[in-house]
Amino acid sequence: MKRILLLTKLLILFVVSNAQTVLISPTGDGGFENGSSFAANGWTVANGATNQWFIGSVAPPSLGANCAYISDNVGGATYNYATGAASTVHFYRDVTFPVGETDIQLTYKWKCFGEGSYDYIAVFAISTALTPTFNSPAGAFQSWLQIPTAYPGATVLNTPPQNLQANFQTATICLPAGFAGTTQRLVFMFSNDPSVGTQPPASIDEISLISNAPGIPTNQPSGLTLTPISTSQINGSFTAAPGLSAGYLVVRYPTGATPTDPVNGTSYLAGQSLGLGTVVQTGPSTTFSATGLSANTTYDFYIYNYTGSGCSPLTYLTGSPLFGTATTLSCSGITGLKTVGPTGDYPSLTAAMAVVNLGITGAVTLELQSTYSSAVETFPITFPSNACVGPINTLIIRPELGAAGLSIVGINTTAIFDFNGATYVTIDGRPGGVGGYTAGTNLMIRNTAVGPTIRYINDAQFNVVKYCDIQGQNTTATNITTQGGVVCFSTTTGANGNDNNIIDFCDIHETPTGTPVMGIFSYGSQTTVSQNNDNNTISNCNIYNVFSASIADAFIKIDLGNSAWTINNNRFYQTATRTYTTGAVVHRVMWITPNVGGLVSASNFTITNNFIGGNNAAGTGTYTVNGLVTHTFSAIDLSVGLGTPSSVQNNTITNINFTTSSTAVTAFVGIGIATRNKHNRPMATQLIGGDI
C-alpha cells in the first residue's frame, strides 16, 4: 500500500512532457481534490485559535469538490472570519524545482474581500529551514512588508494585498529562474488586523505550478506572400516554422534600410520602433496587415521566429529572417468640391466616403445639398486611416451655402461619425464654411442610441469638428470604458494615440429623448506613453444638460491615458433643475483624472477662461442641482501627474444653486486637487454668488 501511494505522488509531482514538469496539479493536490485535509494533499497548515484554514466545499470552490478557505468556526462550517483579533495563518509545502527548468509559472484562483491594506492574501517562498507560525508576521496595516523580517530571505511572490474581490480571480506569477535546482517552501498566507472587515475572507483553489526548460528556435518561417491592399495597407501571409516556435515578430522598414536585430528577452509591441523599422505584429499568427503606410511607397518586411512562453524569456532567431518587399497602391481619384444629396455627385456621405477611401489627388470638400437627408446613410459614417488624406490633401465636410439647419440623425451604438485612424478631416457645420455659430442654422449631429455621437479611435489625429450642434443620450454608466460620452476619445491599436484633435464652437448636449451621463469622455491606451491621447483641444463650446440622477456624471471626463489637453473658453450650464435620487454620488463639471495608476505623463493641462453656472450660454439664471440625499458637487476635479505643470486660470464658477443632505466639508468643491505636481497650482479662478 505504501508503494502505491509513493508511485501516485511521483506521478503527480513529476509528470514530464517536452521538458515540462507539473509540480502542483490544479485538479489534484493544488485543487485539494486528494482528500479533505491539507495533509492528504501534501500541504502543512499553521493555524491559530480564531480564523483558520480549512479544506472543503463551504466557500464554495471554483472547480471540483474542495478548496482552501478561511473560517472562524471551529469545524470550518462557515465561510466567515472574525475581525476583532489580529491573525495570520498559513498553509505551505516544500517544492523541489528541476535543474535547468528556469521557466517556472505559478497560477491559482483566489477570492477575498477583507479590508484595504489590512485583511488580505499573500504568497511567498522561504527556506525549508524556516517554519511558518501563527500570527507571524502579526496581522496589521501592510503587514506583508514584514514577511522578510519574520522569515529572513523570504521572497514575496504575489503583489499584496490580494483582496476586495468577492468572486474568484486568477493570479499568474513568474517565479525566479534561480529557483531551478533548489527546494523552496511555498507559503499561502491570510492575515487580518483587529478591526473592521468585509466578508468573505480568503479562499484559494486550482493551484498550478509548472516548470519548463527554455527552448531555442532553430528554423525560420517560409513562403512569404505580400499583397498591397490600398494606398495605406499591405497584407502578408507565410508558412509556420518547423520545430520550436512561440510566435513571430514582423517588422517593416523603408525599402533598403538596414534591419536591426530584435533583442532576446525583449517583448515588442505593434507600432513600436525597432531601429529604422516599425513592428507590425508579434504573436503566433501567420497572417498580418501592415496599415498606416504611405501611398506608392515600397516597404521591406522581416519576420523572425521566437520561443519563450509563460515565464521563459523570449529568444529570437536572428539569422536569415524571412524577407519580402512590396509597394502600396498609388493615390488616384477625386479632388476639389463634390456635392452630396439627391441630385449631387453622391447620394450620401456613405457613398462619398467609399470613393474618397479609394484615393484622392488633392484637397476634397464634400458639401451637403439643402435637400440632403441622413435617412439614406449607413452608420457609423467612418473616416478610416487614409494615406491620401494629409496636411495638404485635406477632407472637409460641410453644408453648402444656403443649406441652413441640416441634420444628421441616426441610431448606432458605435457612433454617428467614427474617426477610426483618420487624419486631417474637418466637419464644419457652417453653410459654405462661412460665418459663425447660430443655433438652428449650423449642422446638427445626433445619436439616439446608447453610444457616442462622435468617436476618435486608433490614432485619429489632426481632425477638427467645429460649429456643429452635437447631441447624444449615452447613458454608459462606468467611467472606465472606451464608449462613453457624447464625444468619445477612445483607445488605439497604433503607436501614437488620438492626438491634436480640435472641437471648437460646438454645442454638446442631450437629445430630445435622453440625457447623457458624460459630455466629452476620453480614456486612452496606456501600454506606452506615446499611445496616450495628447494635445486635444476643447474650446469655445457650450456644453450643457449632462446629468444622471443615480451615478457619477461629468460634462468633461478625462480619464487614464491622457495628457496636455487644452480646455478653454467653454460654457457649462443646466437649462433645467436636476434632482439626485441616489446618495454618495458626485456631480462634476470637469473631472480630470489621467494619472490614476501613476502615469507621470499625465500632465500639462491648460484649463482657462471657462464659465461654470447659470441656465443658458450667457451664464445668467441659475444652475440648480438638488435632492435630499448625500450627493456632492465638484466644479473642477483635478488629479494630474508629475510631468509638466498644469495651468488653471481665469475660470468663473457662479450662479449655482446646490442642495444636499451631506454634511461633509467636500459637499461643494470649486476646485479640488488630488495627486498632483507640487507646481500645479490653480490660480485666478472666481467663485461668485450662488446658493449652497
PDB file of all heavy atoms in Angstrom, residues 6 9 24 31 90 95 338 362 429 520 527:
ATOM      1  N   LEU A   6       3.310   6.065  -2.922  1.00  0.00           N
ATOM      2  CA  LEU A   6       4.535   6.722  -3.341  1.00  0.00           C
ATOM      3  C   LEU A   6       4.554   6.918  -4.852  1.00  0.00           C
ATOM      4  O   LEU A   6       4.901   7.982  -5.353  1.00  0.00           O
ATOM      5  CB  LEU A   6       5.754   5.895  -2.899  1.00  0.00           C
ATOM      6  CG  LEU A   6       7.137   6.454  -3.318  1.00  0.00           C
ATOM      7  CD1 LEU A   6       7.327   7.843  -2.729  1.00  0.00           C
ATOM      8  CD2 LEU A   6       8.236   5.507  -2.865  1.00  0.00           C
ATOM      9  N   LYS A   9       2.230   9.734  -5.851  1.00  0.00           N
ATOM     10  CA  LYS A   9       2.798  11.044  -5.580  1.00  0.00           C
ATOM     11  C   LYS A   9       3.846  11.410  -6.619  1.00  0.00           C
ATOM     12  O   LYS A   9       3.946  12.545  -7.075  1.00  0.00           O
ATOM     13  CB  LYS A   9       3.402  11.061  -4.173  1.00  0.00           C
ATOM     14  CG  LYS A   9       3.809  12.460  -3.711  1.00  0.00           C
ATOM     15  CD  LYS A   9       4.187  12.481  -2.247  1.00  0.00           C
ATOM     16  CE  LYS A   9       2.996  12.222  -1.363  1.00  0.00           C
ATOM     17  NZ  LYS A   9       3.291  12.378   0.073  1.00  0.00           N
ATOM     18  N   ILE A  24       2.738  21.061  -9.129  1.00  0.00           N
ATOM     19  CA  ILE A  24       1.482  21.058  -8.375  1.00  0.00           C
ATOM     20  C   ILE A  24       0.353  21.057  -9.395  1.00  0.00           C
ATOM     21  O   ILE A  24       0.326  21.892 -10.309  1.00  0.00           O
ATOM     22  CB  ILE A  24       1.361  22.270  -7.435  1.00  0.00           C
ATOM     23  CG1 ILE A  24       2.511  22.306  -6.429  1.00  0.00           C
ATOM     24  CG2 ILE A  24       0.026  22.259  -6.705  1.00  0.00           C
ATOM     25  CD1 ILE A  24       2.509  23.532  -5.529  1.00  0.00           C
ATOM     26  N   GLY A  31      -5.724  21.523  -6.279  1.00  0.00           N
ATOM     27  CA  GLY A  31      -7.164  21.770  -6.198  1.00  0.00           C
ATOM     28  C   GLY A  31      -7.773  21.151  -4.970  1.00  0.00           C
ATOM     29  O   GLY A  31      -8.992  21.172  -4.792  1.00  0.00           O
ATOM     30  N   HIS A  90      -1.315  30.239   7.791  1.00  0.00           N
ATOM     31  CA  HIS A  90      -0.625  29.808   6.586  1.00  0.00           C
ATOM     32  C   HIS A  90      -0.975  28.366   6.243  1.00  0.00           C
ATOM     33  O   HIS A  90      -1.354  27.585   7.108  1.00  0.00           O
ATOM     34  CB  HIS A  90       0.899  29.858   6.776  1.00  0.00           C
ATOM     35  CG  HIS A  90       1.423  31.061   7.472  1.00  0.00           C
ATOM     36  ND1 HIS A  90       1.848  32.183   6.801  1.00  0.00           N
ATOM     37  CD2 HIS A  90       1.610  31.334   8.802  1.00  0.00           C
ATOM     38  CE1 HIS A  90       2.279  33.084   7.670  1.00  0.00           C
ATOM     39  NE2 HIS A  90       2.141  32.590   8.889  1.00  0.00           N
ATOM     40  N   VAL A  95       8.718  22.346  -2.311  1.00  0.00           N
ATOM     41  CA  VAL A  95       8.735  22.039  -3.740  1.00  0.00           C
ATOM     42  C   VAL A  95      10.181  21.989  -4.213  1.00  0.00           C
ATOM     43  O   VAL A  95      10.944  22.929  -3.979  1.00  0.00           O
ATOM     44  CB  VAL A  95       7.965  23.103  -4.551  1.00  0.00           C
ATOM     45  CG1 VAL A  95       8.001  22.768  -6.036  1.00  0.00           C
ATOM     46  CG2 VAL A  95       6.524  23.225  -4.068  1.00  0.00           C
ATOM     47  N   LYS A 338     -17.182  68.448 -54.198  1.00  0.00           N
ATOM     48  CA  LYS A 338     -18.181  67.472 -54.614  1.00  0.00           C
ATOM     49  C   LYS A 338     -19.431  67.676 -53.765  1.00  0.00           C
ATOM     50  O   LYS A 338     -19.338  68.002 -52.575  1.00  0.00           O
ATOM     51  CB  LYS A 338     -17.668  66.043 -54.448  1.00  0.00           C
ATOM     52  CG  LYS A 338     -16.380  65.750 -55.214  1.00  0.00           C
ATOM     53  CD  LYS A 338     -16.581  65.820 -56.720  1.00  0.00           C
ATOM     54  CE  LYS A 338     -15.275  65.553 -57.465  1.00  0.00           C
ATOM     55  NZ  LYS A 338     -15.442  65.650 -58.928  1.00  0.00           N
ATOM     56  N   GLY A 362      -6.024  65.494 -54.360  1.00  0.00           N
ATOM     57  CA  GLY A 362      -5.914  66.843 -53.836  1.00  0.00           C
ATOM     58  C   GLY A 362      -6.921  67.038 -52.732  1.00  0.00           C
ATOM     59  O   GLY A 362      -7.621  66.107 -52.332  1.00  0.00           O
ATOM     60  N   GLY A 429     -19.783  72.879 -39.485  1.00  0.00           N
ATOM     61  CA  GLY A 429     -21.240  72.968 -39.509  1.00  0.00           C
ATOM     62  C   GLY A 429     -21.790  74.200 -40.181  1.00  0.00           C
ATOM     63  O   GLY A 429     -23.004  74.329 -40.342  1.00  0.00           O
ATOM     64  N   ILE A 520     -18.129  65.006 -22.860  1.00  0.00           N
ATOM     65  CA  ILE A 520     -16.911  64.608 -23.567  1.00  0.00           C
ATOM     66  C   ILE A 520     -16.158  63.650 -22.667  1.00  0.00           C
ATOM     67  O   ILE A 520     -15.928  63.938 -21.488  1.00  0.00           O
ATOM     68  CB  ILE A 520     -16.027  65.817 -23.907  1.00  0.00           C
ATOM     69  CG1 ILE A 520     -16.776  66.749 -24.865  1.00  0.00           C
ATOM     70  CG2 ILE A 520     -14.702  65.377 -24.517  1.00  0.00           C
ATOM     71  CD1 ILE A 520     -16.063  68.052 -25.134  1.00  0.00           C
ATOM     72  N   THR A 527      -0.348  51.358 -22.722  1.00  0.00           N
ATOM     73  CA  THR A 527       0.762  50.416 -22.824  1.00  0.00           C
ATOM     74  C   THR A 527       2.071  51.161 -22.964  1.00  0.00           C
ATOM     75  O   THR A 527       3.078  50.807 -22.349  1.00  0.00           O
ATOM     76  CB  THR A 527       0.548  49.463 -24.013  1.00  0.00           C
ATOM     77  OG1 THR A 527      -0.712  48.802 -23.859  1.00  0.00           O
ATOM     78  CG2 THR A 527       1.653  48.426 -24.067  1.00  0.00           C
TER      79      THR A 527
END
